[in-house]
Amino acid sequence: METTFRVSVRVLVAYSYFGPDILPGGNAAEMLAGTRAHQAREGAQAQTFEIEKPVNCTLIHNSETVTVFGRMDAYRDGCPPCVEEIKLCAKPPEAPLPEHLAQARLYGALLVDNQALETVEIRVTYVNTQGEPLRVFTEFAQASALTQTLTELLMPWLAFAVSERARACERDFTLKAMPFPFDTYRSGQRELAAQVYTAITRKKRLFATLPTGTGKSAAVLFPALKALGEGKTRQLFYLTARTTARQSPLNALERMRALGMKARVLTLLAKEKLCPSPTRCHPDDCPRAKGHYLRQPQAIEKLLALDGFWTDECIVETADEFSVCPFELALSLTELADVVLMDLNYAFDPFVQIARVFQQHRDFTLLIDEAHHLLSRVQDSLSGALDSRELRAYRSALGKALSRRHPYYKQLTALLTALRQTGGDEPDTASPEDDDSAAGEVPQSDASPETPRETVLPEPPQAVTAAVQAVCEGTLELLTSRMPNAECRQSAGRMLRTLCSFSYAAQHFSERYAALLTRRGKERVLELYCLSPAEVIAATTKRLHGSVFFSATLSPLVEMRKLLGGTEEDAIFSLPSPFPPQRLKVVRRRVQTRYAYRENSAARVAQSIAEAVNARIGRYIAYFPSYAYLRLVYAQLAELPLPPLLVQENNMSEEARERFLYAFTRDDAPKLGLCVLGGMFSEGVDLPGDQLIGAIIVGVGLPTPSLRLTTLQAYYQEHFGDGFLYAWMIPAMQKVSQAAGRVIRTEKDSGLVVLLDDRYYDPRYLRLLPPDWQVTNEDIAGAAKALDRLEE
C-alpha cells in the first residue's frame, strides 16, 4: 500500500490544539531544562519502560493513505500496555492539558492499530527540572475511544493536506515548464546548475566556489526549483549571513515568477526587526500576544489567497491588519512556503533554530550562500562566555528592583562568587555585595590598566556550571512572573541568553571546546569556545535532500570542506572568473604593515594610496586591518592631493551607512573611501561600473592575536597539520578576496586592485588568492595606464 501522506503525532496535535496567547516559552532555558528533565525522568523509568520508542500506523481515510508516526516518551509492555507522556512544568495543572492528553492518546491509538489491543493505560506526567514527578494523570482508554481521537484529529489536517497537494501539483507543472530566467547562461552557470541538481537528486552535499559576477543565485535556485518540481525535495531554504544578501536571490525569484513560476516564497526577517513592540511576548505586555493564535488562521488564509510572494512588507502589513505578531506569523509560514530566505542562524544556532522544520523533517534542501561565514557564525552560536563585570552590573540593577533579599539576587551572588574564585591566586577580601554600591559602575581599581592574565582550563569549573544552571532556572521563573518594569524584563532576557549559551557549551564540552579564562584583578571572563563546529554542521546537513555550500571565497575548497564538516565523499566544484582577466589589474607592493611597523609605514601606505587614486581618476576604497591603522594613515593622507574622503566609523548607524554608499552610487564625482577590511563595506556591497574602479588593500587581513586564536591554532595543528593556515591565513585571505571582489561586478567593468604588504610575495599567501588574478609587481601607474588603454 503506497503512502500518500506522512504526519507526526506532534503535528496532528498542534494543528488542532493551541493556546490562544503567545506566552514566554520554547526559549533556550526551557529547551535545556526540558532536556534535562526528560533525561532524568527517562533514566528513572529505564528499568521498567522503553524510552523514546517509535510507533506508527498506516490507514486509509477518504481514499487517502496516511502514515501517522511518532516516538513515545516512555512505553511499558503489559496487559494493558502503558504510554507515558512527560512534560516539564514549574506548577502542575489540576487536570492534564488537552494537547498533552491528546498526544498521549494518539500514541495509544497507534498501538491499538498495531497490536489489536482492547485497552491502553495512558499517562501524562508533569515533572520538575530534576525529572521528579509532580503530578501524574492516568486513564485506561478503550480502543474505540482512542481510534475515534485519531480520526477526529486526522480529518481536518487531511483536508488541508489534500488541498495543499492540489496546489503543489499546479506549482510543479509551472516549475517543469519554467525556462532559465535569463536569455543565456553566463560562463559556468550551466555547469554549476548541473552540480546543484545532482547534489539534490543524490541527497549529497556540494561545496562550490564561484567568482563574483557568476550569477550564482539564479544558477543555484533554478536547478533546485526544477528538482522541487520533480518531487526530489519538498522545500528549499536559502540561507544568507546578512539581510542585504537576500536581494540577489529575490531578484532571481521575481524573474522566475514573471516567467510563470507559481511557488510560494517567504523572507524571514529577525524578530527584533519585525516586532512592532520591544516588550515581552506576553499578553500582559503586548496586545498582539493576547489571542494571537485565534486570529492567526485568518491572517494565514489571506496570505494563502495572495500570489505567494511573502516579503517582509507583506508579512508586516497582514500582521497589522489582523493584529498578530509578525514574527510568529512568519514562523508559521515557514511550513507552507516552497522557498524560504532566512539567516544562517535559523538553521544552525541551537537557540533560534526553527524546530518545526529542522527537528521534524529531513526532506528539504539547504542552499547556503556566503558559506565562508558559516564557520565563525556556528562557532559563536555554540560558544558561551561569562564576564563578572557584566554579571555584577546586572545583579546591581536587579537588586535595586527586587531587593537584595530576593532569592534571585542570592543566586546571582553565588554565581558571581564562583566565577571570581575561578583560577584562584587573586586576593579578594571584600564582601561579594560590596561592589553593588556604585550601581553597576566599574570600581576605580578595575579601571587601572592592569595587564590581563590568560589561561586555558582543562574543563569548565563545576561550581560555575552548577551556579549557571540555578540562575538559568531562576531567570526563567522570573520572566514568567510580573517584573517591576520593562527595563528589568529586557535585561533579564539578555542575561538569560548569555547564561544559556554558556550552559549549552558546558553540557556539550568535549575536546572540540576550550575553556578560556581571562583574569584582571578580581574580575574574570570565562569563555567556553567551540573550536570546531564541523560535527554540528555535518549533523544538521546530513540526510537532507541535498545541501549546497557556495561562496565567491569558499577557498581553498578542500580545506574549507573539512572545516565545514564535509568529507571526501562530498563534491567540490570551482569556477574560473567569467570576466576577461585583462580587465582587472592586480599590483602588489612591498610595504611593512605588521603591527610593530605601522607607525613607520603609514606615510608609505598613504603615498601608495594617493598614487593609485591619482593614476586613474574615479571612485576608490582603501581597506585597513583596523580602525587604529586607518586613523594613522588618514593623518598622512590629509597632506596629499586627493579626492574627497569618506571614512567608515565604528558602529555606524543604518542612516550613516546609507549615506556612505549613496556617495558612491548616486554621485559621479571622484572620491576615496577609507574602510575596515572584513567590515560592512568589504563584502555584500554591489558597486558596478564606475561606482568603484579600484580597491587598495592594506595588509593581509590577519586577525588580532588572542588566546582564542592561539588555542584554535593548536587545535588545527593537532587535527589538520597546519594550524597557522587554518586559524589565521584562510580567514584572512578570504577577507582580502571579498574586498577586492567589489571592483569587478559585470562583464563591462574594469578596475585596479593594489595589495600593500610584503607578504603578498610569499607563496603561502599568494596561493590563497583567486587563481585568475594576474599579479604584477610595484608599478601602480603602469597598471592604471593599461586599464585606460582598454577603455580607448
Side-chain angles (χ1 to χ4, degrees):
M1 178 167 48
E2 182 181 350
T3 300
T4 307
F5 296 104
R6 284 177 55 84
V7 60
S8 71
V9 167
R10 288 179 181 273
V11 169
L12 271 188
V13 171
Y15 190 82
S16 295
Y17 287 95
F18 45 83
D21 306 330
I22 299 175
L23 295 169
N27 55 34
E30 286 203 336
M31 178 187 77
L32 294 171
T35 299
R36 288 194 298 269
H38 265 260
Q39 289 172 345
R41 175 62 178 169
E42 290 167 353
Q45 297 286 72
Q47 296 283 335
T48 55
F49 280 74
E50 290 185 61
I51 306 304
E52 293 290 327
K53 180 178 176 62
V55 62
N56 67 79
C57 77
T58 300
L59 54 156
I60 299 176
H61 274 285
N62 294 341
S63 302
E64 301 290 350
T65 306
V66 186
T67 293
V68 184
F69 63 93
R71 286 182 177 270
M72 298 176 283
D73 286 342
Y75 169 75
R76 184 192 65 207
D77 200 5
C79 189
C82 177
V83 173
E84 182 177 51
E85 185 67 20
I86 302 169
K87 298 296 180 185
L88 171 69
C89 73
K91 183 179 180 181
E94 294 298 322
L97 297 182
E99 59 268 32
H100 300 163
L101 185 57
Q103 190 169 343
R105 285 174 173 172
L106 280 186
Y107 289 128
L110 302 189
L111 287 175
V112 165
D113 186 84
N114 276 267
Q115 302 178 26
L117 301 168
E118 293 184 1
T119 307
V120 178
E121 181 182 350
I122 302 296
R123 285 188 191 175
V124 178
T125 301
Y126 292 94
V127 301
N128 60 18
T129 54
Q130 287 73 46
E132 300 166 342
L134 301 176
R135 188 162 293 172
V136 181
F137 298 97
T138 302
E139 69 175 26
F140 291 88
Q142 299 299 308
S144 57
L146 293 172
T147 301
Q148 182 179 352
T149 298
L150 175 57
T151 301
E152 289 173 352
L153 289 175
L154 182 61
M155 295 310 290
W157 178 88
L158 184 58
F160 181 73
V162 168
S163 68
E164 282 291 282
R165 181 180 61 187
R167 195 275 314 177
C169 287
E170 181 184 9
R171 173 204 67 196
D172 294 347
F173 178 81
T174 66
L175 291 176
K176 290 174 182 176
M178 180 180 67
F180 189 67
F182 296 91
D183 293 337
T184 59
Y185 285 92
R186 283 184 181 176
S187 176
Q189 275 186 318
R190 188 185 295 273
E191 293 87 347
L192 174 60
Q195 291 284 336
V196 171
Y197 181 83
T198 301
I200 297 173
T201 301
R202 297 182 179 177
K203 303 178 184 178
K204 297 292 186 180
R205 287 179 291 206
L206 169 67
F207 295 82
T209 182
L210 26 141
T212 298
T214 306
K216 60 183 185 296
S217 297
V220 168
L221 278 167
F222 180 71
L225 285 164
K226 287 291 184 180
L228 177 68
E230 295 170 8
K232 301 184 186 300
T233 185
R234 181 182 60 85
Q235 202 173 15
L236 307 175
F237 289 88
Y238 193 106
L239 310 181
T240 65
R242 299 181 314 279
T243 303
T244 52
R246 297 180 197 171
Q247 196 54 53
S248 179
L250 271 176
N251 292 342
L253 289 164
E254 285 275 19
R255 294 182 73 100
M256 295 179 200
R257 186 168 65 147
L259 293 171
M261 176 191 77
K262 291 187 176 180
R264 294 172 181 162
V265 176
L266 168 70
T267 59
L268 179 62
L269 199 61
K271 182 175 183 177
E272 56 270 19
K273 294 183 179 179
L274 274 179
C275 186
S277 171
T279 58
R280 179 177 59 153
C281 290
H282 191 285
D284 291 345
D285 298 320
C286 177
R288 297 196 185 205
K290 188 171 185 61
H292 165 91
Y293 293 109
L294 300 178
R295 299 185 297 274
Q296 181 172 271
Q298 289 76 37
I300 291 177
E301 184 177 353
K302 176 175 181 178
L303 288 166
L304 291 177
L306 298 178
D307 62 358
F309 222 73
W310 301 328
T311 61
D312 305 329
E313 295 78 14
C314 176
I315 298 295
V316 169
E317 182 180 337
T318 306
D320 289 345
E321 179 181 349
F322 292 93
S323 190
V324 296
C325 171
F327 184 70
E328 287 295 327
L329 176 61
L331 281 181
S332 296
L333 293 171
T334 58
E335 299 179 276
L336 300 172
D338 299 307
V339 184
V340 181
L341 284 77
M342 65 186 194
D343 190 88
L344 295 169
N345 284 359
Y346 290 119
F348 293 99
D349 187 331
F351 298 106
V352 298
Q353 185 186 69
I354 304 175
R356 67 190 79 189
V357 172
F358 289 89
Q359 296 177 25
Q360 301 294 326
H361 303 284
R362 305 298 295 177
D363 56 347
F364 56 86
T365 297
L366 293 183
L367 307 174
I368 307 167
D369 198 354
E370 301 180 311
H372 63 284
H373 284 297
L374 186 60
L375 182 67
S376 60
R377 287 285 291 272
V378 182
Q379 276 179 310
D380 289 343
S381 71
L382 300 178
S383 303
L386 296 177
D387 187 327
S388 61
R389 284 177 289 190
E390 178 186 353
L391 183 62
R392 176 165 50 82
Y394 170 71
R395 186 189 62 165
S396 175
L398 266 290
K400 289 187 174 183
L402 302 174
S403 89
R404 294 188 180 188
R405 295 187 178 89
H406 196 283
Y408 184 64
Y409 184 91
K410 295 180 179 179
Q411 289 177 328
L412 291 170
T413 298
L415 172 56
L416 184 58
T417 301
L419 181 58
R420 282 178 166 176
Q421 289 175 350
T422 301
D425 71 23
E426 296 288 350
D428 183 8
T429 58
S431 165
E433 296 185 9
D434 288 348
D435 50 17
D436 278 352
S437 58
E441 296 177 3
V442 178
Q444 188 63 39
S445 60
D446 289 341
S448 61
E450 183 178 347
T451 302
R453 291 191 286 172
E454 298 178 323
T455 313
V456 180
L457 304 179
E459 61 183 6
Q462 188 174 356
V464 174
T465 57
V468 165
Q469 181 176 327
V471 176
C472 273
E473 293 167 5
T475 310
L476 179 61
E477 185 176 345
L478 200 68
L479 285 169
T480 54
S481 63
R482 283 191 174 274
M483 294 185 69
N485 53 57
E487 185 179 352
C488 283
R489 283 195 298 271
Q490 290 168 10
S491 60
R494 288 190 297 269
M495 180 55 64
L496 181 64
R497 176 59 199 266
T498 297
L499 294 169
C500 287
S501 295
F502 186 91
S503 183
Y504 177 93
Q507 289 185 36
H508 293 82
F509 195 86
S510 67
E511 59 99 21
R512 296 184 298 108
Y513 275 84
L516 311 177
L517 177 67
T518 301
R519 296 175 289 173
R520 189 190 297 270
K522 66 182 177 181
E523 303 298 351
R524 302 287 187 273
V525 176
L526 176 59
E527 180 181 19
L528 304 184
Y529 179 52
C530 179
L531 298 167
S532 173
E535 259 185 41
V536 171
I537 296 172
T540 304
T541 57
K542 71 180 180 181
R543 296 196 304 274
L544 298 184
H545 286 216
S547 295
V548 182
F549 302 75
F550 60 104
S551 167
T553 52
L554 196 67
S555 59
L557 259 179
V558 172
E559 286 84 353
M560 287 304 299
R561 178 178 64 180
K562 191 183 301 183
L563 291 172
L564 295 174
T567 68
E568 292 182 359
E569 296 179 357
D570 298 318
I572 57 175
F573 178 73
S574 63
L575 282 175
S577 172
F579 307 130
Q582 65 270 22
R583 301 193 73 83
L584 177 68
K585 300 300 179 184
V586 183
V587 182
R588 59 184 174 181
R589 174 167 285 184
R590 293 184 186 273
V591 182
Q592 280 278 16
T593 71
R594 293 170 179 83
Y595 185 81
Y597 297 93
R598 288 181 182 175
E599 288 279 354
N600 295 330
S601 64
R604 179 162 165 76
V605 168
Q607 290 165 1
S608 297
I609 291 172
E611 183 179 341
V613 300
N614 290 319
R616 190 168 183 244
I617 303 302
R619 283 164 278 186
Y620 291 79
I621 295 179
Y623 295 98
F624 294 84
S626 69
Y627 285 101
Y629 199 23
L630 185 156
R631 289 190 290 270
L632 201 61
V633 175
Y634 177 73
Q636 299 286 335
L637 289 171
E639 307 298 323
L640 300 173
L642 291 168
L645 295 178
L646 297 134
V647 181
Q648 177 184 350
E649 300 292 342
N650 203 357
N651 299 318
M652 288 178 80
S653 66
E654 188 69 24
E655 183 182 354
R657 178 180 179 275
E658 289 177 359
R659 283 199 305 269
F660 187 98
L661 287 176
Y662 185 87
F664 284 86
T665 58
R666 302 299 182 206
D667 180 359
D668 292 338
K671 57 188 57 67
L672 170 61
L674 305 181
C675 299
V676 173
L677 195 61
M680 66 181 75
F681 300 115
S682 68
E683 58 179 295
V685 175
D686 198 23
L687 298 169
D690 292 336
Q691 293 179 7
L692 187 71
I693 66 166
I696 302 102
I697 300 170
V698 183
V700 293
L702 291 179
T704 303
S706 66
L707 181 61
R708 251 191 180 199
L709 274 170
T710 54
T711 307
L712 187 63
Q713 179 180 350
Y715 177 87
Y716 286 150
Q717 186 69 37
E718 179 182 351
H719 289 80
F720 300 152
D722 191 340
F724 188 70
L725 170 69
Y726 284 93
W728 300 77
M729 294 175 65
I730 289 177
M733 298 307 283
Q734 285 176 345
K735 290 189 291 185
V736 169
S737 297
Q738 281 287 341
R742 301 311 96 205
V743 177
I744 303 294
R745 309 297 294 178
T746 73
E747 296 89 340
K748 297 180 180 180
D749 290 358
S750 64
L752 175 68
V753 171
V754 178
L755 306 173
L756 298 179
D757 197 287
D758 61 341
R759 284 167 287 188
Y760 288 112
Y761 285 81
D762 185 332
R764 295 179 303 161
Y765 288 89
L766 202 61
R767 80 174 186 89
L768 297 177
L769 294 174
D772 52 292
W773 282 10
Q774 298 177 1
V775 182
T776 60
N777 300 334
E778 304 297 330
D779 188 5
I780 295 173
K785 288 179 182 178
L787 288 172
D788 285 336
R789 286 195 294 269
L790 281 177
E791 302 299 322
E792 292 175 356

